[in-house]
Amino acid sequence: MKKKDKIPGPTISRLPIYFRCLTEMKNNNISVVSSDELATMAGVKASQFRKDMSYFGEFGIQGLGYPVVHLMERITTIMQLDKVHKVALAGIGNLGLALAKYNGFSKWNFQIHYLYDSDPGIIGTVINDIVVDDIDKIPEKLDVSIGILTVPREFAQEAADKLINSGVKLLLNFTATFLNVPSDVVVRNVDLTHELAILTYHLESKQAE
Amino acid sequence: MKKKDKIPGPTISRLPIYFRCLTEMKNNNISVVSSDELATMAGVKASQFRKDMSYFGEFGIQGLGYPVVHLMERITTIMQLDKVHKVALAGIGNLGLALAKYNGFSKWNFQIHYLYDSDPGIIGTVINDIVVDDIDKIPEKLDVSIGILTVPREFAQEAADKLINSGVKLLLNFTATFLNVPSDVVVRNVDLTHELAILTYHLESKQAE
């Protein structure tokens, strides 16, 4: 297996997609899958899938393919999906509220444990059995793997700093801002407007052809 | 400029990030930016940025860099951000409601015009001045560029089919399911659980080293 930091980001981003494909195959009692079949389902080229797998020392069996359950277990280990990861969410606006109520996270062992806001009208309210706490009272050491930022963009850096000061090293950032973080903190930016823009690129493509 | 379908997906996905970087630079009265500066801000390698730009025939000025406003205009045209794009959203659950109320879309000329649901208790309610309509009564020809799917996963394919039957060619799919769509329909899957899994991959990386 290659050293982790040599594995390209896009390969890592595709692992959850492969995992979801494999889960569907397992549910359909498929035990072995060809790279062609899995790649088609995942929306990538078969050569891309095989290259992605090779980073983790996974090679298909010639003429047969990849064993579904084995590959699921490998990806589970690689992405640490076999452990429960606690999550803290800062910013109980519309999106924060939706994520706090979202039941999809727990299927992959992600559990939102803490909710934070700065609005006195929101602090103290209860969402899914979790009391919203004051973001200024985050404990010195927060026992979570991941922080989710859904605060308004003007408070993004401040809220990120507070989570980082409490030891959070991984941030999922929905605030549509660039965060300044120490080198040992990993930020993943999700901008839903960007997703729409990527789609309209294809619209132009179709009209031009 | 290369033929559009030859441009790699990851390049297209980075264009909105570059656009956001350039916007910040423009707001700070920066008129020319080096590939190093822009790449650092966007979180990619400078060589990657230059390669991405080359697909669109954009080359920096030797020893100077890229003109900020010109490049913004180019990306605006490439991604059609200079036009208003109407959006229909199907599924007024927690996430659908959050997206229907999200004010970030309009800054990039995306306007949610139609809201659909199948629940009689939700049909007829008003969100941001839009009345939620019955998804079974989508007009035969819907004048939107993009459909957003936030229905429960068991209704995902059905809701997608209804939008596609009304002429929608671009779908942003939040349902964590694979959709079967005609070849002229482009689907972009956004799975928020995947985003967390990609982060915990990095957690393992850190612990292992």
Side-chain angles (χ1 to χ4, degrees), chain A residues 1 9 13 37 44 48 51 65 77 79 92 97 102 108 123 133 145 163 170 176 179 183-184 209:
Chain A
M1 191 161 130
S13 301
E37 286 168 321
V44 301
Q48 180 72 72
K51 190 174 177 194
T77 308
M79 306 209 97
I92 312 297
L97 191 63
Y102 182 56
W108 284 31
I123 295 166
D133 279 329
S145 298
L163 287 169
L170 305 176
L179 299 172
S183 60
D184 64 339
E209 277 163 19

Side-chain angles (χ1 to χ4, degrees), chain B residues 6-25:
Chain B
K6 298 287 181 201
I7 295 168
T11 294
I12 299 162
S13 302
R14 283 187 288 268
L15 291 182
I17 300 171
Y18 298 148
F19 189 76
R20 200 168 73 186
C21 295
L22 291 163
T23 305
E24 289 216 7
M25 285 169 178

Side-chain angles (χ1 to χ4, degrees), chain A residues 4 78 188 191 195 204, chain B residues 4 78 188 195 204:
Chain A
K4 290 232 154 186
I78 291 164
R188 195 160 167 86
D191 191 316
E195 302 298 332
E204 189 202 25
Chain B
K4 290 234 152 183
I78 291 164
R188 194 160 168 86
E195 301 298 332
E204 190 201 26

Side-chain angles (χ1 to χ4, degrees), chain A residues 1 3-5 7 9-10 12-17 20-21 24 41-42 56 77-81 83 85 87 94-99 101-102 104-108 110 145-148 153 169-178 184-209, chain B residues 1 3-5 7 9-10 12-17 20-21 24 41-42 56 77-81 83 85 87 94-99 101-102 104-108 110 145-148 153 169-178 184-209:
Chain A
M1 191 161 130
K3 201 165 177 301
K4 290 232 154 186
D5 56 7
I7 296 168
I12 299 162
S13 301
R14 283 187 289 267
L15 290 181
I17 301 169
R20 200 169 73 186
C21 295
E24 288 215 9
M41 192 170 183
F56 304 100
T77 308
I78 291 164
M79 306 209 97
Q80 292 224 46
L81 299 176
K83 297 173 192 161
H85 294 285
V87 177
N94 294 318
L95 183 59
L97 191 63
L99 297 183
K101 291 179 176 175
Y102 182 56
F105 292 146
S106 60
K107 287 176 196 157
W108 284 31
F110 296 104
S145 298
I146 299 177
I148 299 181
R153 56 180 298 164
K169 300 287 187 197
L170 305 176
L171 288 175
L172 191 58
N173 174 29
F174 284 93
T175 67
T177 53
F178 294 106
D184 64 339
V185 172
V186 179
V187 178
R188 195 160 167 86
N189 297 304
V190 180
D191 191 316
L192 301 176
T193 312
H194 289 189
E195 302 298 332
L196 294 178
I198 292 163
L199 277 172
T200 49
Y201 168 84
H202 291 283
L203 187 70
E204 189 202 25
S205 176
K206 234 179 298 297
Q207 288 175 341
E209 277 163 19
Chain B
M1 192 161 132
K3 202 168 174 300
K4 290 234 152 183
D5 56 6
I7 295 168
I12 299 162
S13 302
R14 283 187 288 268
L15 291 182
I17 300 171
R20 200 168 73 186
C21 295
E24 289 216 7
M41 192 170 183
F56 304 99
T77 308
I78 291 164
M79 307 209 97
Q80 292 225 47
L81 299 177
K83 295 172 193 160
H85 294 284
V87 177
N94 294 317
L95 184 59
L97 191 63
L99 297 184
K101 290 179 176 176
Y102 183 56
F105 292 147
S106 60
K107 288 176 197 156
W108 284 32
F110 296 104
S145 299
I146 299 177
I148 298 181
R153 55 180 297 164
K169 300 288 187 196
L170 305 176
L171 288 174
L172 190 58
N173 174 28
F174 285 92
T175 67
T177 52
F178 293 106
D184 64 340
V185 172
V186 178
V187 178
R188 194 160 168 86
N189 297 303
V190 179
D191 190 318
L192 301 176
T193 311
H194 288 189
E195 301 298 332
L196 294 177
I198 293 163
L199 277 172
T200 51
Y201 168 84
H202 291 282
L203 187 70
E204 190 201 26
S205 176
K206 235 180 298 298
Q207 287 174 343
E209 276 163 17

Side-chain angles (χ1 to χ4, degrees), chain A residues 127-166:
Chain A
I127 301 162
N128 272 11
D129 296 331
I130 303 170
V131 180
V132 179
D133 279 329
D134 186 342
I135 194 163
D136 283 324
K137 293 178 183 161
I138 297 185
E140 209 169 300
K141 181 83 186 76
L142 197 62
D143 59 331
V144 301
S145 298
I146 299 177
I148 299 181
L149 280 181
T150 46
V151 297
R153 56 180 298 164
E154 57 269 34
F155 302 121
Q157 185 65 51
E158 194 184 330
D161 291 344
K162 285 173 183 167
L163 287 169
I164 292 166
N165 284 340
S166 295

Side-chain angles (χ1 to χ4, degrees), chain B residues 5-161:
Chain B
D5 56 6
K6 298 287 181 201
I7 295 168
T11 294
I12 299 162
S13 302
R14 283 187 288 268
L15 291 182
I17 300 171
Y18 298 148
F19 189 76
R20 200 168 73 186
C21 295
L22 291 163
T23 305
E24 289 216 7
M25 285 169 178
K26 187 186 167 209
N27 291 344
N28 290 318
N29 296 315
I30 296 167
S31 57
V32 179
V33 63
S34 72
S35 53
D36 275 343
E37 287 168 321
L38 201 139
T40 301
M41 192 170 183
V44 302
K45 288 181 186 169
S47 56
Q48 179 73 70
F49 170 71
R50 287 192 296 266
K51 190 174 178 195
D52 286 344
M53 287 302 104
S54 73
Y55 285 113
F56 304 99
E58 290 299 316
F59 303 97
I61 303 158
Q62 187 74 34
L64 272 174
Y66 293 80
V68 169
V69 170
H70 167 77
L71 211 50
M72 284 182 71
E73 288 169 354
R74 283 289 290 131
I75 296 178
T76 298
T77 308
I78 291 164
M79 307 209 97
Q80 292 225 47
L81 299 177
D82 47 346
K83 295 172 193 160
V84 172
H85 294 284
K86 292 187 189 176
V87 177
L89 186 148
I92 311 297
N94 294 317
L95 184 59
L97 191 63
L99 297 184
K101 290 179 176 176
Y102 183 56
N103 61 14
F105 292 147
S106 60
K107 288 176 197 156
W108 284 32
N109 273 336
F110 296 104
Q111 295 181 356
I112 295 181
H113 269 242
Y114 304 101
L115 300 173
Y116 294 106
D117 205 282
S118 60
D119 181 343
I122 292 173
I123 294 165
T125 59
V126 178
I127 301 163
N128 272 10
D129 296 331
I130 303 170
V131 181
V132 179
D133 278 329
D134 185 342
I135 194 163
D136 283 324
K137 294 178 183 161
I138 297 185
E140 210 168 298
K141 180 84 187 76
L142 197 62
D143 59 331
V144 301
S145 299
I146 299 177
I148 298 181
L149 280 181
T150 46
V151 297
R153 55 180 297 164
E154 58 269 34
F155 302 120
Q157 185 65 51
E158 194 184 331
D161 291 344

